[in-house]
C-alpha cells in the first residue's frame, strides 16, 4: 500500500524441475519448488521471505527473516522474524527463530531455540505511591 513493497511479495522462483548446486543469495521474496544443495541466504539489509514448497528440498543452512516451510530442509535454520512450519514441513537440523507457528504434522529433528537477541526485556509497571503532604 502507498507504493511500499509488501512483505509477502515473491520476486523469484526456483522451479520444480530445477536443481541448484551452490549457495543461493537473494533479496526480497523467493519461492523454491526444486532442489538446492547449498545454503540459502537472504540479504540482511531488507525484509525477506522464503517459501519452501511441498516438493522442495534444501541441503544446507537457511538464513531469512520470514520463512514458510512445507518441504524438506537438511541443515540449520535461522529465522529472524517468523518461522511458519506447514503440515508437511520436515527439518533435520537445529532451528533458531524469533516467532514460531507450527502446524500439526510438521517435524523438526533438532533443537528449537527461541532467539531473544534484539528483543526488549519485559518490565513490570510499578504502582506510583501517592506522596503525602506531611
Amino acid at each position: 500500500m502507498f507504493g511500499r513493497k509488501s512483505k509477502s511479495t515473491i520476486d523469484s522462483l526456483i522451479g520444480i524441475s530445477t536443481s541448484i548446486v551452490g549457495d543461493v543469495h537473494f533479496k526480497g521474496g523467493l519461492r523454491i519448488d526444486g532442489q538446492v544443495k547449498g545454503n540459502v541466504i537472504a540479504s540482511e539489509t531488507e525484509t525477506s521471505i522464503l517459501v519452501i514448497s511441498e516438493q522442495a528440498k534444501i541441503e544446507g543452512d537457511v538464513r531469512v527473516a520470514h520463512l514458510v516451510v512445507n518441504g524438506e530442509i537438511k541443515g540449520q535454520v535461522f529465522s529472524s522474524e517468523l518461522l511458519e512450519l506447514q503440515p508437511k514441513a520436515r527439518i533435520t537440523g537445529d532451528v533458531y527463530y524469533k516467532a514460531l507457528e507450527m502446524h500439526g504434522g510438521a517435524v523438526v529433528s533438532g533443537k528449537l531455540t527461541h532467539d531473544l537477541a534484539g528483543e526488549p526485556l519485559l518490565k513490570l509497571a510499578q504502582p506510583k505511591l501517592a506522596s503525602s503532604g506531611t
Side-chain angles (χ1 to χ4, degrees):
M1 192 183 216
F2 302 110
R4 290 190 338 193
K5 193 176 196 178
S6 171
K7 281 186 174 183
S8 61
T9 300
I10 300 297
D11 303 309
S12 303
L13 168 70
I14 296 175
I16 193 167
S17 60
T18 303
S19 180
I20 295 176
V21 177
D23 293 349
V24 175
H25 295 266
F26 72 97
K27 291 181 181 181
L30 172 64
R31 177 183 169 106
I32 299 177
D33 292 338
Q35 296 186 3
V36 176
K37 289 186 180 182
N39 301 322
V40 180
I41 303 166
S43 170
E44 293 180 17
T45 60
E46 61 183 69
T47 303
S48 57
I49 182 169
L50 175 62
V51 177
I52 309 296
S53 77
E54 186 178 333
Q55 303 86 3
K57 184 175 181 180
I58 297 175
E59 293 181 32
D61 293 348
V62 175
R63 291 181 178 272
V64 65
H66 184 173
L67 176 60
V68 181
V69 182
N70 204 24
E72 184 176 355
I73 299 173
K74 291 184 179 180
Q76 291 188 332
V77 173
F78 301 88
S79 174
S80 61
E81 287 182 14
L82 174 63
L83 171 60
E84 296 180 48
L85 299 177
Q86 300 293 322
K88 296 196 176 182
R90 296 166 310 283
I91 298 177
T92 304
D94 294 340
V95 176
Y96 302 88
Y97 64 92
K98 183 174 181 180
L100 174 66
E101 180 180 315
M102 188 170 183
H103 294 256
V107 176
V108 176
S109 299
K111 279 191 310 186
L112 284 171
T113 304
H114 181 238
D115 183 16
L116 297 174
E119 286 189 12
L121 295 175
L122 177 65
K123 294 184 180 179
L124 298 176
Q126 300 263 337
K128 292 184 180 180
L129 298 175
S131 62
S132 63
T134 54

